[in-house]
Amino acid sequence: MFSKLVKKSLSVLALSAGALTLTLAPAAAEFPEKPVTLVIPLGAGGSHDLNARIITSVIPTYLEQAMIVRLTPGAGGQKGTQEVANADADGYTLLFSHNYMDMLQQYVDNLPYDPMEDFIPIARVNYAPASIIVRADSPYETFEDLVEDARARPGELSIGHSGNWGAFFVPAAQIMQQLGLNMNLVPYQGGGPAMQALLSGDSDFTMAFPSAIGALRDAGDIRVLASAGEERLYEDVPTLAEVGVTGDIGYMHRFILAPAGTPDDVVATLSDAFESLSTDPTFVRLMGSLGESIDPMTGPEYQELREQQAVAYEALVDTLTSQ
């Protein structure tokens, strides 16, 4: 009898211990538990860098964790992009990219990653029109002045751009093709270095987005000759269409990608944070101070646009490389 009571007591204790263990087991942690890294595959001082500084200053309100910028330029953006493609698919390493690097490069390079298979879009933040700019002391007062000199001196003028087949290279090549111009396309590791090359006199002109133009234009350091877009970006500056350049030229989409395989709940948390960011009053004010628009898209919406871009850019590369 005593033996049976002991066995029964031990069984009860074992069950109680098991229940206690289950009770004390830590709950699954909710994402994010630590700071999120935002990789920019471009150099410092360009429009992506400037936009990212605003994004990362405000989005912790909605993520409840810091977001840290990591600049990883190199190989026309492939170095930083590959870093994110190879990162753990846990939401802690994201890519801040643009449409040319994302969907066009696959047609001109053998990439170490598959842009469609290795990433999923989280959100588009905005898109921006590029402008053609020169130094304030440049002899070119208008876009027509630049074109006239380029035709008079074929192969002598140079345009600094943010990397081969990037956000400035492509529209510059399209403009040259349309107008029958021959100019030197000089690559730099991002829009910031390309701007510095212009200011130091190493190039005759470059292209830039509003966030990189505002302070320099206000200070009288640069002159804007023409801008992409259906409407004038600056009251006294013509659109590309007004100076005879037609077509979908000079737009850059800025968006966030995560490694493929990132869990759905993590994607949802990130997507919700960027959706809230787009209407945050501080974010809206700071982006306005850069002269940048806010044009959000959800990840699935931007994925549809990516697929359209892939088709359009394949045709564009065929056109540009067949000349």
Side-chain angles (χ1 to χ4, degrees):
M1 180 70 176
F2 178 77
S3 176
K4 290 182 179 179
L5 287 173
V6 169
K7 289 181 179 179
K8 184 175 182 180
S9 298
L10 290 174
S11 297
V12 170
L13 286 171
L15 290 171
S16 298
L20 182 61
T21 301
L22 290 173
T23 302
L24 296 178
E30 291 189 8
F31 173 86
E33 293 183 274
K34 60 183 181 181
V36 174
T37 297
L38 186 64
V39 175
I40 302 177
L42 298 162
S47 66
H48 260 62
D49 186 15
L50 296 172
N51 277 258
R53 303 299 171 176
I54 292 178
I55 291 170
T56 56
S57 71
V58 180
I59 204 165
T61 301
Y62 304 103
L63 277 181
E64 298 184 0
Q65 283 287 349
M67 183 173 281
I68 301 169
V69 171
R70 180 187 296 160
L71 296 167
T72 312
Q78 293 178 32
K79 181 179 178 182
T81 304
Q82 185 176 14
E83 177 184 322
V84 179
N86 294 341
D88 291 337
D90 55 10
Y92 288 105
T93 306
L94 304 176
L95 181 69
F96 190 29
S97 190
H98 63 70
N99 44 303
Y100 299 111
M101 190 178 295
D102 179 45
M103 284 290 105
L104 186 146
Q105 277 194 343
Q106 61 188 316
Y107 302 118
V108 295
D109 282 323
N110 292 318
L111 300 178
Y113 48 82
D114 186 320
M116 199 65 82
E117 296 296 327
D118 292 342
F119 299 97
I120 52 174
I122 299 297
R124 185 185 78 175
V125 179
N126 65 2
Y127 70 93
S131 295
I132 296 172
I133 62 173
V134 296
R135 292 185 305 279
D137 61 357
S138 168
Y140 310 125
E141 296 286 341
T142 66
F143 181 78
E144 289 80 3
D145 291 340
L146 175 62
V147 170
E148 183 180 351
D149 193 31
R151 284 179 173 154
R153 298 189 294 143
E156 294 186 32
L157 300 192
S158 63
I159 172 172
H161 61 85
S162 55
N164 290 338
W165 296 102
F168 301 145
F169 176 98
V170 173
Q174 290 174 296
I175 291 170
M176 288 168 57
Q177 182 187 55
Q178 272 199 33
L179 301 182
L181 304 177
N182 178 11
M183 295 182 286
N184 294 316
L185 291 159
V186 183
Y188 294 88
Q189 289 191 344
M195 180 70 79
Q196 291 303 313
L198 173 75
L199 296 175
S200 66
D202 288 339
S203 65
D204 296 298
F205 68 106
T206 189
M207 302 181 80
F209 295 104
S211 53
I213 289 174
L216 292 171
R217 188 170 188 259
D218 292 344
D221 294 328
I222 61 171
R223 182 181 303 127
V224 183
L225 301 185
S227 296
E230 295 181 0
E231 299 180 357
R232 289 192 173 195
L233 189 60
Y234 308 103
E235 187 175 339
D236 58 339
V237 176
T239 65
L240 286 174
E242 289 179 277
V243 296
V245 178
T246 60
D248 183 18
I249 294 176
Y251 289 98
M252 183 174 73
H253 300 263
R254 300 189 188 94
F255 50 86
I256 309 295
L257 299 176
T262 301
D264 291 345
D265 59 329
V266 172
V267 170
T269 297
L270 290 166
S271 299
D272 289 347
F274 277 98
E275 183 178 357
S276 298
L277 176 73
S278 68
T279 58
D280 180 275
T282 300
F283 180 70
V284 171
R285 175 177 57 81
L286 292 174
M287 291 292 281
S289 70
L290 282 181
E292 293 284 356
S293 64
I294 300 172
D295 303 283
M297 270 188 177
T298 66
E301 287 173 336
Y302 192 68
Q303 177 62 21
E304 290 185 13
L305 184 55
R306 288 177 89 211
E307 292 168 2
Q308 295 169 18
Q309 289 169 350
V311 175
Y313 290 155
E314 183 175 20
L316 174 62
V317 169
D318 284 344
T319 300
L320 292 177
T321 56
S322 64
Q323 302 301 311

